[in-house]
Amino acid sequence: MPFTPDAALDLLFTEDLIPQHVKNELPSELHIRPLSSTDYGRGHLSVLSVLTQTPDVGAAAWESQFHTLRSTPATYYILVIVSRDTDQIVGTGGVFIERKFLRGLGRVGHIEDIAVSHGMQGKKLGLRIIQALTHISENAGCYKTILNCSDSNIPFYEKCGFEKREKEMAKYA
Ligand code: ACO
Protein backbone atom coordinates (compact mmCIF):
# COMPACT_ATOMS: atom_id res chain seq x y z
CA MET A 1 0.00 0.00 0.00
CA PRO A 2 1.36 3.52 -0.78
CA PHE A 3 2.31 5.67 2.19
CA THR A 4 -0.53 7.97 3.38
CA PRO A 5 0.65 11.47 4.40
CA ASP A 6 -0.66 12.98 7.65
CA ALA A 7 -2.66 15.61 5.74
CA ALA A 8 -4.83 12.86 4.24
CA LEU A 9 -5.61 11.32 7.65
CA ASP A 10 -8.10 11.96 10.44
CA LEU A 11 -5.77 12.09 13.48
CA LEU A 12 -6.40 11.53 17.20
CA PHE A 13 -4.55 14.76 18.10
CA THR A 14 -2.49 17.44 16.40
CA GLU A 15 0.75 16.03 15.03
CA ASP A 16 2.84 19.04 16.09
CA LEU A 17 2.72 17.74 19.70
CA ILE A 18 5.27 15.12 18.61
CA PRO A 19 8.72 16.66 19.18
CA GLN A 20 10.84 17.35 16.12
CA HIS A 21 13.97 15.85 17.73
CA VAL A 22 12.22 12.46 17.95
CA LYS A 23 11.13 12.68 14.29
CA ASN A 24 14.71 13.53 13.30
CA GLU A 25 16.14 10.48 15.09
CA LEU A 26 13.94 7.98 13.23
CA PRO A 27 15.30 6.15 10.16
CA SER A 28 14.09 7.88 6.97
CA GLU A 29 11.89 4.91 5.98
CA LEU A 30 9.81 5.33 9.14
CA HIS A 31 7.32 8.02 10.19
CA ILE A 32 5.92 8.79 13.66
CA ARG A 33 2.46 10.32 13.92
CA PRO A 34 -0.74 10.32 16.02
CA LEU A 35 -3.09 7.34 15.63
CA SER A 36 -5.55 7.88 12.75
CA SER A 37 -9.16 6.76 12.32
CA THR A 38 -8.12 4.31 9.57
CA ASP A 39 -5.22 2.63 11.40
CA TYR A 40 -7.25 -0.53 11.95
CA GLY A 41 -6.35 -1.28 8.32
CA ARG A 42 -2.65 -0.62 8.95
CA GLY A 43 -2.22 -3.43 11.44
CA HIS A 44 -2.63 -1.55 14.73
CA LEU A 45 -4.12 -4.58 16.53
CA SER A 46 -1.52 -6.89 15.07
CA VAL A 47 1.30 -4.77 16.55
CA LEU A 48 -0.45 -4.63 19.94
CA SER A 49 -0.69 -8.43 19.93
CA VAL A 50 3.07 -8.65 20.68
CA LEU A 51 2.15 -7.21 24.09
CA THR A 52 -0.94 -9.19 25.13
CA GLN A 53 -4.09 -10.84 23.82
CA THR A 54 -5.58 -8.51 21.21
CA PRO A 55 -8.56 -10.14 19.50
CA ASP A 56 -9.73 -8.73 16.18
CA VAL A 57 -12.74 -6.61 17.19
CA GLY A 58 -13.44 -5.57 13.59
CA ALA A 59 -13.08 -2.20 11.86
CA ALA A 60 -16.39 -0.70 13.04
CA ALA A 61 -15.79 -1.39 16.75
CA TRP A 62 -12.18 -0.22 16.43
CA GLU A 63 -13.29 3.07 14.82
CA SER A 64 -15.97 3.56 17.45
CA GLN A 65 -13.28 3.25 20.16
CA PHE A 66 -11.10 5.76 18.28
CA HIS A 67 -13.93 8.32 18.23
CA THR A 68 -14.72 7.72 21.91
CA LEU A 69 -11.10 8.45 22.84
CA ARG A 70 -11.02 11.57 20.67
CA SER A 71 -14.26 12.92 22.13
CA THR A 72 -12.48 13.38 25.50
CA PRO A 73 -10.29 16.39 24.75
CA ALA A 74 -6.60 16.61 25.73
CA THR A 75 -6.59 13.22 27.46
CA TYR A 76 -5.64 10.33 25.15
CA TYR A 77 -2.46 10.51 23.09
CA ILE A 78 -1.68 7.37 21.10
CA LEU A 79 1.23 7.34 18.64
CA VAL A 80 2.16 5.01 15.83
CA ILE A 81 5.33 4.47 13.84
CA VAL A 82 4.52 3.64 10.21
CA SER A 83 6.69 2.14 7.48
CA ARG A 84 6.83 4.46 4.44
CA ASP A 85 7.37 1.36 2.25
CA THR A 86 4.29 -0.59 3.32
CA ASP A 87 2.08 2.01 5.08
CA GLN A 88 1.82 -0.53 7.91
CA ILE A 89 2.26 0.21 11.61
CA VAL A 90 5.43 -1.20 13.20
CA GLY A 91 5.21 0.39 16.65
CA THR A 92 2.70 2.06 18.94
CA GLY A 93 2.22 3.46 22.44
CA GLY A 94 0.07 5.88 24.37
CA VAL A 95 -0.11 8.27 27.29
CA PHE A 96 -3.31 9.07 29.19
CA ILE A 97 -3.46 12.37 31.11
CA GLU A 98 -5.07 12.01 34.55
CA ARG A 99 -6.39 15.18 36.22
CA LYS A 100 -6.17 15.31 40.03
CA PHE A 101 -7.41 17.51 42.89
CA LEU A 102 -4.18 17.14 44.88
CA ARG A 103 -0.96 19.01 44.08
CA GLY A 104 -2.99 22.05 43.08
CA LEU A 105 -5.05 20.26 40.42
CA GLY A 106 -1.96 18.34 39.34
CA ARG A 107 -1.75 16.04 36.33
CA VAL A 108 -0.10 12.65 35.88
CA GLY A 109 0.76 10.99 32.57
CA HIS A 110 0.17 7.24 32.42
CA ILE A 111 2.14 5.51 29.68
CA GLU A 112 0.30 2.45 28.36
CA ASP A 113 0.47 -0.23 25.69
CA ILE A 114 3.94 0.14 24.22
CA ALA A 115 4.55 -2.36 21.43
CA VAL A 116 7.05 -2.75 18.59
CA SER A 117 6.49 -5.49 16.00
CA HIS A 118 8.82 -8.48 16.40
CA GLY A 119 10.89 -7.80 13.29
CA MET A 120 11.49 -4.17 14.26
CA GLN A 121 12.52 -4.57 17.90
CA GLY A 122 16.00 -3.49 18.96
CA LYS A 123 16.13 -0.53 16.54
CA LYS A 124 15.40 2.18 19.14
CA LEU A 125 11.75 2.52 18.10
CA GLY A 126 10.54 1.77 21.64
CA LEU A 127 12.90 4.45 22.94
CA ARG A 128 11.59 7.01 20.41
CA ILE A 129 7.97 6.22 21.34
CA ILE A 130 8.74 6.72 25.05
CA GLN A 131 10.65 9.96 24.37
CA ALA A 132 7.70 11.32 22.37
CA LEU A 133 5.10 10.28 24.95
CA THR A 134 7.11 11.70 27.86
CA HIS A 135 7.43 14.99 25.98
CA ILE A 136 3.67 15.07 25.36
CA SER A 137 3.02 14.30 29.05
CA GLU A 138 5.36 17.02 30.30
CA ASN A 139 4.06 19.48 27.72
CA ALA A 140 0.55 18.78 29.06
CA GLY A 141 1.76 19.91 32.50
CA CYS A 142 2.14 16.50 34.17
CA TYR A 143 4.35 16.58 37.27
CA LYS A 144 5.27 12.93 36.68
CA THR A 145 4.94 10.26 34.00
CA ILE A 146 4.51 6.69 35.20
CA LEU A 147 3.97 3.16 33.87
CA ASN A 148 3.72 -0.48 34.91
CA CYS A 149 5.93 -3.12 33.37
CA SER A 150 7.29 -6.63 33.85
CA ASP A 151 10.68 -7.16 35.53
CA SER A 152 12.12 -8.13 32.14
CA ASN A 153 11.28 -4.69 30.71
CA ILE A 154 12.83 -2.71 33.58
CA PRO A 155 16.21 -2.35 31.78
CA PHE A 156 14.43 -0.94 28.72
CA TYR A 157 12.61 1.72 30.75
CA GLU A 158 15.79 2.55 32.66
CA LYS A 159 17.46 3.23 29.30
CA CYS A 160 14.53 5.57 28.61
CA GLY A 161 15.33 7.53 31.80
CA PHE A 162 12.74 6.00 34.14
CA GLU A 163 13.53 4.66 37.62
CA LYS A 164 11.88 1.95 39.69
CA ARG A 165 9.64 3.42 42.40
CA GLU A 166 6.56 1.84 43.96
CA LYS A 167 5.00 -1.63 43.68
CA GLU A 168 2.07 -2.36 41.42
CA MET A 169 -1.07 -4.09 42.74
CA ALA A 170 -3.82 -5.48 40.53
CA LYS A 171 -7.18 -7.21 40.88
CA TYR A 172 -8.36 -8.75 37.67
CA ALA A 173 -12.14 -9.13 37.16
N1 ACO B 1 16.09 -5.90 28.38
C1 ACO B 1 17.22 -5.16 28.40
N2 ACO B 1 17.43 -4.11 27.56
C2 ACO B 1 16.45 -3.82 26.68
C3 ACO B 1 15.25 -4.57 26.60
C4 ACO B 1 15.08 -5.64 27.52
N3 ACO B 1 13.95 -6.36 27.54
N4 ACO B 1 14.48 -4.04 25.60
C5 ACO B 1 15.19 -3.01 25.09
N5 ACO B 1 16.37 -2.88 25.75
C6 ACO B 1 17.41 -1.87 25.53
C7 ACO B 1 17.97 -1.93 24.12
O1 ACO B 1 19.02 -2.87 24.04
C8 ACO B 1 18.44 -0.50 23.92
O2 ACO B 1 19.65 -0.33 24.61
P1 ACO B 1 20.90 0.51 23.98
O3 ACO B 1 20.42 1.94 23.94
O4 ACO B 1 22.00 0.29 24.93
O5 ACO B 1 21.12 -0.03 22.62
C9 ACO B 1 17.38 0.32 24.66
O6 ACO B 1 16.80 -0.57 25.63
C10 ACO B 1 16.28 0.84 23.75
O7 ACO B 1 15.66 -0.28 23.14
P2 ACO B 1 14.76 -0.17 21.83
O8 ACO B 1 15.52 -0.66 20.65
O9 ACO B 1 14.15 1.17 21.75
O10 ACO B 1 13.65 -1.26 22.20
P3 ACO B 1 12.49 -1.80 21.26
O11 ACO B 1 12.27 -0.92 20.08
O12 ACO B 1 12.70 -3.23 21.00
O13 ACO B 1 11.21 -1.62 22.21
C11 ACO B 1 9.84 -2.90 23.73
C12 ACO B 1 11.20 -2.22 23.50
C13 ACO B 1 8.72 -1.85 23.58
C14 ACO B 1 9.82 -3.46 25.14
C15 ACO B 1 9.67 -3.99 22.64
O14 ACO B 1 10.70 -4.93 22.76
C16 ACO B 1 8.33 -4.71 22.68
O15 ACO B 1 7.39 -4.32 22.00
N6 ACO B 1 8.23 -5.80 23.48
C17 ACO B 1 7.00 -6.60 23.58
C18 ACO B 1 5.85 -5.82 24.20
C19 ACO B 1 6.22 -5.21 25.54
O16 ACO B 1 6.75 -5.86 26.43
N7 ACO B 1 5.90 -3.89 25.70
C20 ACO B 1 6.13 -3.13 26.91
C21 ACO B 1 5.03 -3.38 27.89
S1 ACO B 1 5.04 -2.26 29.30
C22 ACO B 1 4.01 -0.96 28.88
O17 ACO B 1 3.35 -1.00 27.86
C23 ACO B 1 3.92 0.29 29.77
Side-chain angles (χ1 to χ4, degrees):
M1 231 180 7
F3 177 70
T4 314
D6 289 3
L9 294 168
D10 185 25
L11 300 174
L12 183 61
F13 61 93
T14 173
E15 71 84 28
D16 57 12
L17 292 181
I18 301 174
Q20 192 61 44
H21 69 88
V22 171
K23 294 178 185 171
N24 294 345
E25 294 292 339
L26 275 183
S28 57
E29 69 274 18
L30 297 176
H31 176 62
I32 187 166
R33 62 161 169 77
L35 188 72
S36 93
S37 62
T38 49
D39 279 342
Y40 171 84
R42 295 185 182 85
H44 180 237
L45 295 180
S46 164
V47 174
L48 281 174
S49 72
V50 307
L51 174 57
T52 190
Q53 51 173 295
T54 310
D56 185 356
V57 293
W62 188 99
E63 273 180 47
S64 170
Q65 185 82 314
F66 175 91
H67 290 294
T68 299
L69 296 184
R70 198 168 59 177
S71 68
T72 310
T75 301
Y76 293 104
Y77 298 92
I78 300 174
L79 299 170
V80 292
I81 295 180
V82 181
S83 162
R84 293 183 191 273
D85 297 333
T86 63
D87 207 38
Q88 291 294 294
I89 294 169
V90 299
T92 185
V95 64
F96 151 69
I97 310 298
E98 176 201 1
R99 289 166 177 79
K100 291 179 171 291
F101 279 100
L102 50 69
R103 286 184 182 257
L105 308 182
R107 296 177 182 195
V108 172
H110 297 263
I111 286 183
E112 292 282 344
D113 302 347
I114 308 301
V116 174
S117 63
H118 286 300
M120 297 298 282
Q121 290 178 10
K123 298 175 188 283
K124 302 262 193 290
L125 305 189
L127 173 66
R128 301 299 169 223
I129 291 168
I130 297 297
Q131 287 174 333
L133 294 175
T134 307
H135 177 96
I136 289 170
S137 176
E138 292 175 356
N139 192 51
C142 293
Y143 69 90
K144 68 176 177 182
T145 305
I146 59 178
L147 58 90
N148 292 327
C149 72
S150 63
D151 284 350
S152 64
N153 277 331
I154 289 174
F156 165 68
Y157 288 110
E158 286 176 338
K159 292 236 161 119
C160 295
F162 285 65
E163 57 181 352
K164 196 161 176 281
R165 295 294 283 264
E166 294 152 7
K167 302 275 187 204
E168 176 197 352
M169 296 182 70
K171 185 171 185 294
Y172 283 76

PDB file of all heavy atoms in Angstrom, residues 10 12 35-42 44-45 56-71:
ATOM      1  N   ASP A  10      -7.277  11.400   9.366  1.00  0.00           N
ATOM      2  CA  ASP A  10      -8.098  11.957  10.440  1.00  0.00           C
ATOM      3  C   ASP A  10      -7.399  11.529  11.745  1.00  0.00           C
ATOM      4  O   ASP A  10      -7.470  10.358  12.124  1.00  0.00           O
ATOM      5  CB  ASP A  10      -9.476  11.301  10.286  1.00  0.00           C
ATOM      6  CG  ASP A  10     -10.496  11.830  11.240  1.00  0.00           C
ATOM      7  OD1 ASP A  10     -10.352  12.974  11.685  1.00  0.00           O
ATOM      8  OD2 ASP A  10     -11.449  11.074  11.539  1.00  0.00           O
ATOM      9  N   LEU A  12      -5.897  11.493  15.818  1.00  0.00           N
ATOM     10  CA  LEU A  12      -6.398  11.533  17.201  1.00  0.00           C
ATOM     11  C   LEU A  12      -6.082  12.870  17.873  1.00  0.00           C
ATOM     12  O   LEU A  12      -6.846  13.355  18.701  1.00  0.00           O
ATOM     13  CB  LEU A  12      -5.771  10.375  17.996  1.00  0.00           C
ATOM     14  CG  LEU A  12      -6.202  10.181  19.434  1.00  0.00           C
ATOM     15  CD1 LEU A  12      -7.703   9.898  19.540  1.00  0.00           C
ATOM     16  CD2 LEU A  12      -5.418   9.033  20.088  1.00  0.00           C
ATOM     17  N   LEU A  35      -2.198   8.373  16.163  1.00  0.00           N
ATOM     18  CA  LEU A  35      -3.092   7.342  15.634  1.00  0.00           C
ATOM     19  C   LEU A  35      -4.121   8.012  14.722  1.00  0.00           C
ATOM     20  O   LEU A  35      -4.563   9.122  14.987  1.00  0.00           O
ATOM     21  CB  LEU A  35      -3.800   6.672  16.824  1.00  0.00           C
ATOM     22  CG  LEU A  35      -4.644   5.437  16.534  1.00  0.00           C
ATOM     23  CD1 LEU A  35      -3.758   4.239  16.202  1.00  0.00           C
ATOM     24  CD2 LEU A  35      -5.536   5.103  17.745  1.00  0.00           C
ATOM     25  N   SER A  36      -4.504   7.327  13.637  1.00  0.00           N
ATOM     26  CA  SER A  36      -5.547   7.878  12.748  1.00  0.00           C
ATOM     27  C   SER A  36      -6.761   6.955  12.740  1.00  0.00           C
ATOM     28  O   SER A  36      -6.669   5.774  13.103  1.00  0.00           O
ATOM     29  CB  SER A  36      -5.009   8.061  11.331  1.00  0.00           C
ATOM     30  OG  SER A  36      -5.284   6.926  10.550  1.00  0.00           O
ATOM     31  N   SER A  37      -7.878   7.493  12.279  1.00  0.00           N
ATOM     32  CA  SER A  37      -9.156   6.759  12.316  1.00  0.00           C
ATOM     33  C   SER A  37      -9.161   5.540  11.395  1.00  0.00           C
ATOM     34  O   SER A  37     -10.059   4.712  11.489  1.00  0.00           O
ATOM     35  CB  SER A  37     -10.305   7.698  11.944  1.00  0.00           C
ATOM     36  OG  SER A  37     -10.107   8.168  10.624  1.00  0.00           O
ATOM     37  N   THR A  38      -8.172   5.450  10.488  1.00  0.00           N
ATOM     38  CA  THR A  38      -8.122   4.306   9.567  1.00  0.00           C
ATOM     39  C   THR A  38      -6.975   3.345   9.889  1.00  0.00           C
ATOM     40  O   THR A  38      -6.641   2.480   9.083  1.00  0.00           O
ATOM     41  CB  THR A  38      -7.992   4.805   8.113  1.00  0.00           C
ATOM     42  OG1 THR A  38      -6.943   5.783   8.052  1.00  0.00           O
ATOM     43  CG2 THR A  38      -9.290   5.413   7.623  1.00  0.00           C
ATOM     44  N   ASP A  39      -6.387   3.472  11.074  1.00  0.00           N
ATOM     45  CA  ASP A  39      -5.221   2.633  11.403  1.00  0.00           C
ATOM     46  C   ASP A  39      -5.588   1.181  11.731  1.00  0.00           C
ATOM     47  O   ASP A  39      -4.686   0.341  11.817  1.00  0.00           O
ATOM     48  CB  ASP A  39      -4.409   3.256  12.546  1.00  0.00           C
ATOM     49  CG  ASP A  39      -3.493   4.358  12.046  1.00  0.00           C
ATOM     50  OD1 ASP A  39      -3.228   4.399  10.825  1.00  0.00           O
ATOM     51  OD2 ASP A  39      -3.048   5.182  12.862  1.00  0.00           O
ATOM     52  N   TYR A  40      -6.864   0.885  11.860  1.00  0.00           N
ATOM     53  CA  TYR A  40      -7.251  -0.532  11.951  1.00  0.00           C
ATOM     54  C   TYR A  40      -6.689  -1.274  10.733  1.00  0.00           C
ATOM     55  O   TYR A  40      -6.149  -2.380  10.862  1.00  0.00           O
ATOM     56  CB  TYR A  40      -8.777  -0.673  11.999  1.00  0.00           C
ATOM     57  CG  TYR A  40      -9.250  -2.097  11.881  1.00  0.00           C
ATOM     58  CD1 TYR A  40      -9.316  -2.922  13.005  1.00  0.00           C
ATOM     59  CD2 TYR A  40      -9.617  -2.632  10.637  1.00  0.00           C
ATOM     60  CE1 TYR A  40      -9.738  -4.243  12.895  1.00  0.00           C
ATOM     61  CE2 TYR A  40     -10.030  -3.943  10.520  1.00  0.00           C
ATOM     62  CZ  TYR A  40     -10.089  -4.746  11.645  1.00  0.00           C
ATOM     63  OH  TYR A  40     -10.489  -6.046  11.533  1.00  0.00           O
ATOM     64  N   GLY A  41      -6.804  -0.656   9.574  1.00  0.00           N
ATOM     65  CA  GLY A  41      -6.353  -1.275   8.325  1.00  0.00           C
ATOM     66  C   GLY A  41      -4.850  -1.267   8.143  1.00  0.00           C
ATOM     67  O   GLY A  41      -4.344  -1.810   7.152  1.00  0.00           O
ATOM     68  N   ARG A  42      -4.119  -0.641   9.052  1.00  0.00           N
ATOM     69  CA  ARG A  42      -2.650  -0.618   8.952  1.00  0.00           C
ATOM     70  C   ARG A  42      -2.001  -1.519  10.003  1.00  0.00           C
ATOM     71  O   ARG A  42      -0.826  -1.377  10.302  1.00  0.00           O
ATOM     72  CB  ARG A  42      -2.123   0.822   9.083  1.00  0.00           C
ATOM     73  CG  ARG A  42      -2.574   1.710   7.945  1.00  0.00           C
ATOM     74  CD  ARG A  42      -1.962   3.108   7.982  1.00  0.00           C
ATOM     75  NE  ARG A  42      -2.498   3.892   6.876  1.00  0.00           N
ATOM     76  CZ  ARG A  42      -3.646   4.555   6.921  1.00  0.00           C
ATOM     77  NH1 ARG A  42      -4.340   4.589   8.053  1.00  0.00           N
ATOM     78  NH2 ARG A  42      -4.093   5.190   5.857  1.00  0.00           N
ATOM     79  N   HIS A  44      -2.798  -2.023  13.352  1.00  0.00           N
ATOM     80  CA  HIS A  44      -2.631  -1.547  14.729  1.00  0.00           C
ATOM     81  C   HIS A  44      -2.811  -2.693  15.734  1.00  0.00           C
ATOM     82  O   HIS A  44      -1.982  -2.871  16.646  1.00  0.00           O
ATOM     83  CB  HIS A  44      -3.645  -0.423  15.010  1.00  0.00           C
ATOM     84  CG  HIS A  44      -3.574   0.132  16.391  1.00  0.00           C
ATOM     85  ND1 HIS A  44      -4.646   0.150  17.243  1.00  0.00           N
ATOM     86  CD2 HIS A  44      -2.533   0.669  17.093  1.00  0.00           C
ATOM     87  CE1 HIS A  44      -4.290   0.697  18.397  1.00  0.00           C
ATOM     88  NE2 HIS A  44      -3.021   1.024  18.333  1.00  0.00           N
ATOM     89  N   LEU A  45      -3.860  -3.487  15.568  1.00  0.00           N
ATOM     90  CA  LEU A  45      -4.117  -4.577  16.529  1.00  0.00           C
ATOM     91  C   LEU A  45      -3.045  -5.656  16.436  1.00  0.00           C
ATOM     92  O   LEU A  45      -2.660  -6.256  17.445  1.00  0.00           O
ATOM     93  CB  LEU A  45      -5.502  -5.177  16.299  1.00  0.00           C
ATOM     94  CG  LEU A  45      -6.675  -4.236  16.566  1.00  0.00           C
ATOM     95  CD1 LEU A  45      -8.004  -4.948  16.311  1.00  0.00           C
ATOM     96  CD2 LEU A  45      -6.634  -3.697  17.996  1.00  0.00           C
ATOM     97  N   ASP A  56      -9.282  -9.602  17.261  1.00  0.00           N
ATOM     98  CA  ASP A  56      -9.726  -8.727  16.182  1.00  0.00           C
ATOM     99  C   ASP A  56     -11.180  -8.331  16.439  1.00  0.00           C
ATOM    100  O   ASP A  56     -12.087  -9.135  16.251  1.00  0.00           O
ATOM    101  CB  ASP A  56      -9.595  -9.454  14.840  1.00  0.00           C
ATOM    102  CG  ASP A  56      -9.943  -8.537  13.680  1.00  0.00           C
ATOM    103  OD1 ASP A  56     -10.352  -7.378  13.931  1.00  0.00           O
ATOM    104  OD2 ASP A  56      -9.816  -8.973  12.533  1.00  0.00           O
ATOM    105  N   VAL A  57     -11.382  -7.080  16.846  1.00  0.00           N
ATOM    106  CA  VAL A  57     -12.737  -6.612  17.186  1.00  0.00           C
ATOM    107  C   VAL A  57     -13.489  -6.133  15.953  1.00  0.00           C
ATOM    108  O   VAL A  57     -14.674  -5.812  16.039  1.00  0.00           O
ATOM    109  CB  VAL A  57     -12.674  -5.476  18.238  1.00  0.00           C
ATOM    110  CG1 VAL A  57     -12.152  -6.017  19.559  1.00  0.00           C
ATOM    111  CG2 VAL A  57     -11.813  -4.313  17.751  1.00  0.00           C
ATOM    112  N   GLY A  58     -12.802  -6.047  14.814  1.00  0.00           N
ATOM    113  CA  GLY A  58     -13.436  -5.568  13.586  1.00  0.00           C
ATOM    114  C   GLY A  58     -13.271  -4.064  13.434  1.00  0.00           C
ATOM    115  O   GLY A  58     -13.101  -3.330  14.410  1.00  0.00           O
ATOM    116  N   ALA A  59     -13.349  -3.607  12.168  1.00  0.00           N
ATOM    117  CA  ALA A  59     -13.080  -2.199  11.860  1.00  0.00           C
ATOM    118  C   ALA A  59     -14.089  -1.261  12.517  1.00  0.00           C
ATOM    119  O   ALA A  59     -13.717  -0.203  13.044  1.00  0.00           O
ATOM    120  CB  ALA A  59     -13.079  -1.994  10.346  1.00  0.00           C
ATOM    121  N   ALA A  60     -15.363  -1.629  12.527  1.00  0.00           N
ATOM    122  CA  ALA A  60     -16.387  -0.702  13.038  1.00  0.00           C
ATOM    123  C   ALA A  60     -16.202  -0.463  14.540  1.00  0.00           C
ATOM    124  O   ALA A  60     -16.253   0.686  15.000  1.00  0.00           O
ATOM    125  CB  ALA A  60     -17.776  -1.253  12.746  1.00  0.00           C
ATOM    126  N   ALA A  61     -15.974  -1.536  15.298  1.00  0.00           N
ATOM    127  CA  ALA A  61     -15.789  -1.387  16.751  1.00  0.00           C
ATOM    128  C   ALA A  61     -14.485  -0.639  17.043  1.00  0.00           C
ATOM    129  O   ALA A  61     -14.419   0.181  17.970  1.00  0.00           O
ATOM    130  CB  ALA A  61     -15.789  -2.758  17.412  1.00  0.00           C
ATOM    131  N   TRP A  62     -13.459  -0.932  16.250  1.00  0.00           N
ATOM    132  CA  TRP A  62     -12.177  -0.224  16.428  1.00  0.00           C
ATOM    133  C   TRP A  62     -12.376   1.285  16.212  1.00  0.00           C
ATOM    134  O   TRP A  62     -11.930   2.112  17.013  1.00  0.00           O
ATOM    135  CB  TRP A  62     -11.138  -0.785  15.444  1.00  0.00           C
ATOM    136  CG  TRP A  62      -9.748  -0.275  15.665  1.00  0.00           C
ATOM    137  CD1 TRP A  62      -8.730  -0.887  16.327  1.00  0.00           C
ATOM    138  CD2 TRP A  62      -9.223   1.007  15.216  1.00  0.00           C
ATOM    139  NE1 TRP A  62      -7.616  -0.090  16.338  1.00  0.00           N
ATOM    140  CE2 TRP A  62      -7.880   1.065  15.668  1.00  0.00           C
ATOM    141  CE3 TRP A  62      -9.740   2.067  14.500  1.00  0.00           C
ATOM    142  CZ2 TRP A  62      -7.060   2.162  15.412  1.00  0.00           C
ATOM    143  CZ3 TRP A  62      -8.923   3.175  14.251  1.00  0.00           C
ATOM    144  CH2 TRP A  62      -7.601   3.212  14.704  1.00  0.00           C
ATOM    145  N   GLU A  63     -13.068   1.643  15.131  1.00  0.00           N
ATOM    146  CA  GLU A  63     -13.288   3.070  14.825  1.00  0.00           C
ATOM    147  C   GLU A  63     -14.148   3.733  15.886  1.00  0.00           C
ATOM    148  O   GLU A  63     -13.935   4.899  16.238  1.00  0.00           O
ATOM    149  CB  GLU A  63     -13.971   3.215  13.460  1.00  0.00           C
ATOM    150  CG  GLU A  63     -12.972   3.266  12.331  1.00  0.00           C
ATOM    151  CD  GLU A  63     -13.657   3.408  10.980  1.00  0.00           C
ATOM    152  OE1 GLU A  63     -14.556   4.251  10.842  1.00  0.00           O
ATOM    153  OE2 GLU A  63     -13.288   2.644  10.082  1.00  0.00           O
ATOM    154  N   SER A  64     -15.118   3.012  16.399  1.00  0.00           N
ATOM    155  CA  SER A  64     -15.972   3.563  17.453  1.00  0.00           C
ATOM    156  C   SER A  64     -15.123   3.897  18.690  1.00  0.00           C
ATOM    157  O   SER A  64     -15.284   4.956  19.308  1.00  0.00           O
ATOM    158  CB  SER A  64     -17.068   2.546  17.767  1.00  0.00           C
ATOM    159  OG  SER A  64     -17.752   2.927  18.906  1.00  0.00           O
ATOM    160  N   GLN A  65     -14.186   2.989  19.026  1.00  0.00           N
ATOM    161  CA  GLN A  65     -13.284   3.249  20.158  1.00  0.00           C
ATOM    162  C   GLN A  65     -12.414   4.488  19.886  1.00  0.00           C
ATOM    163  O   GLN A  65     -12.226   5.333  20.767  1.00  0.00           O
ATOM    164  CB  GLN A  65     -12.385   2.014  20.385  1.00  0.00           C
ATOM    165  CG  GLN A  65     -11.487   2.108  21.591  1.00  0.00           C
ATOM    166  CD  GLN A  65     -12.207   1.751  22.869  1.00  0.00           C
ATOM    167  OE1 GLN A  65     -13.314   2.196  23.123  1.00  0.00           O
ATOM    168  NE2 GLN A  65     -11.585   0.924  23.685  1.00  0.00           N
ATOM    169  N   PHE A  66     -11.912   4.600  18.663  1.00  0.00           N
ATOM    170  CA  PHE A  66     -11.100   5.764  18.280  1.00  0.00           C
ATOM    171  C   PHE A  66     -11.889   7.056  18.537  1.00  0.00           C
ATOM    172  O   PHE A  66     -11.386   8.000  19.153  1.00  0.00           O
ATOM    173  CB  PHE A  66     -10.705   5.662  16.793  1.00  0.00           C
ATOM    174  CG  PHE A  66      -9.971   6.865  16.278  1.00  0.00           C
ATOM    175  CD1 PHE A  66      -8.583   6.922  16.323  1.00  0.00           C
ATOM    176  CD2 PHE A  66     -10.666   7.953  15.755  1.00  0.00           C
ATOM    177  CE1 PHE A  66      -7.901   8.043  15.850  1.00  0.00           C
ATOM    178  CE2 PHE A  66      -9.999   9.073  15.291  1.00  0.00           C
ATOM    179  CZ  PHE A  66      -8.618   9.117  15.337  1.00  0.00           C
ATOM    180  N   HIS A  67     -13.141   7.099  18.090  1.00  0.00           N
ATOM    181  CA  HIS A  67     -13.931   8.323  18.229  1.00  0.00           C
ATOM    182  C   HIS A  67     -14.299   8.588  19.684  1.00  0.00           C
ATOM    183  O   HIS A  67     -14.386   9.745  20.105  1.00  0.00           O
ATOM    184  CB  HIS A  67     -15.145   8.269  17.307  1.00  0.00           C
ATOM    185  CG  HIS A  67     -14.770   8.381  15.861  1.00  0.00           C
ATOM    186  ND1 HIS A  67     -14.223   9.528  15.314  1.00  0.00           N
ATOM    187  CD2 HIS A  67     -14.783   7.470  14.860  1.00  0.00           C
ATOM    188  CE1 HIS A  67     -13.944   9.328  14.038  1.00  0.00           C
ATOM    189  NE2 HIS A  67     -14.272   8.076  13.736  1.00  0.00           N
ATOM    190  N   THR A  68     -14.470   7.530  20.472  1.00  0.00           N
ATOM    191  CA  THR A  68     -14.725   7.719  21.911  1.00  0.00           C
ATOM    192  C   THR A  68     -13.519   8.370  22.573  1.00  0.00           C
ATOM    193  O   THR A  68     -13.649   9.315  23.357  1.00  0.00           O
ATOM    194  CB  THR A  68     -15.039   6.362  22.579  1.00  0.00           C
ATOM    195  OG1 THR A  68     -16.200   5.816  21.979  1.00  0.00           O
ATOM    196  CG2 THR A  68     -15.278   6.525  24.074  1.00  0.00           C
ATOM    197  N   LEU A  69     -12.320   7.869  22.257  1.00  0.00           N
ATOM    198  CA  LEU A  69     -11.104   8.452  22.844  1.00  0.00           C
ATOM    199  C   LEU A  69     -10.965   9.920  22.426  1.00  0.00           C
ATOM    200  O   LEU A  69     -10.652  10.786  23.246  1.00  0.00           O
ATOM    201  CB  LEU A  69      -9.863   7.671  22.394  1.00  0.00           C
ATOM    202  CG  LEU A  69      -9.744   6.214  22.823  1.00  0.00           C
ATOM    203  CD1 LEU A  69      -8.404   5.645  22.376  1.00  0.00           C
ATOM    204  CD2 LEU A  69      -9.899   6.039  24.317  1.00  0.00           C
ATOM    205  N   ARG A  70     -11.224  10.201  21.163  1.00  0.00           N
ATOM    206  CA  ARG A  70     -11.021  11.570  20.675  1.00  0.00           C
ATOM    207  C   ARG A  70     -12.058  12.538  21.231  1.00  0.00           C
ATOM    208  O   ARG A  70     -11.809  13.752  21.296  1.00  0.00           O
ATOM    209  CB  ARG A  70     -11.010  11.599  19.148  1.00  0.00           C
ATOM    210  CG  ARG A  70     -10.391  12.880  18.629  1.00  0.00           C
ATOM    211  CD  ARG A  70     -10.101  12.860  17.185  1.00  0.00           C
ATOM    212  NE  ARG A  70     -11.296  12.638  16.371  1.00  0.00           N
ATOM    213  CZ  ARG A  70     -11.297  12.645  15.065  1.00  0.00           C
ATOM    214  NH1 ARG A  70     -10.162  12.840  14.409  1.00  0.00           N
ATOM    215  NH2 ARG A  70     -12.399  12.424  14.388  1.00  0.00           N
ATOM    216  N   SER A  71     -13.207  12.025  21.632  1.00  0.00           N
ATOM    217  CA  SER A  71     -14.258  12.918  22.132  1.00  0.00           C
ATOM    218  C   SER A  71     -13.939  13.438  23.543  1.00  0.00           C
ATOM    219  O   SER A  71     -14.610  14.344  24.033  1.00  0.00           O
ATOM    220  CB  SER A  71     -15.612  12.205  22.123  1.00  0.00           C
ATOM    221  OG  SER A  71     -15.610  11.184  23.091  1.00  0.00           O
TER     222      SER A  71
END
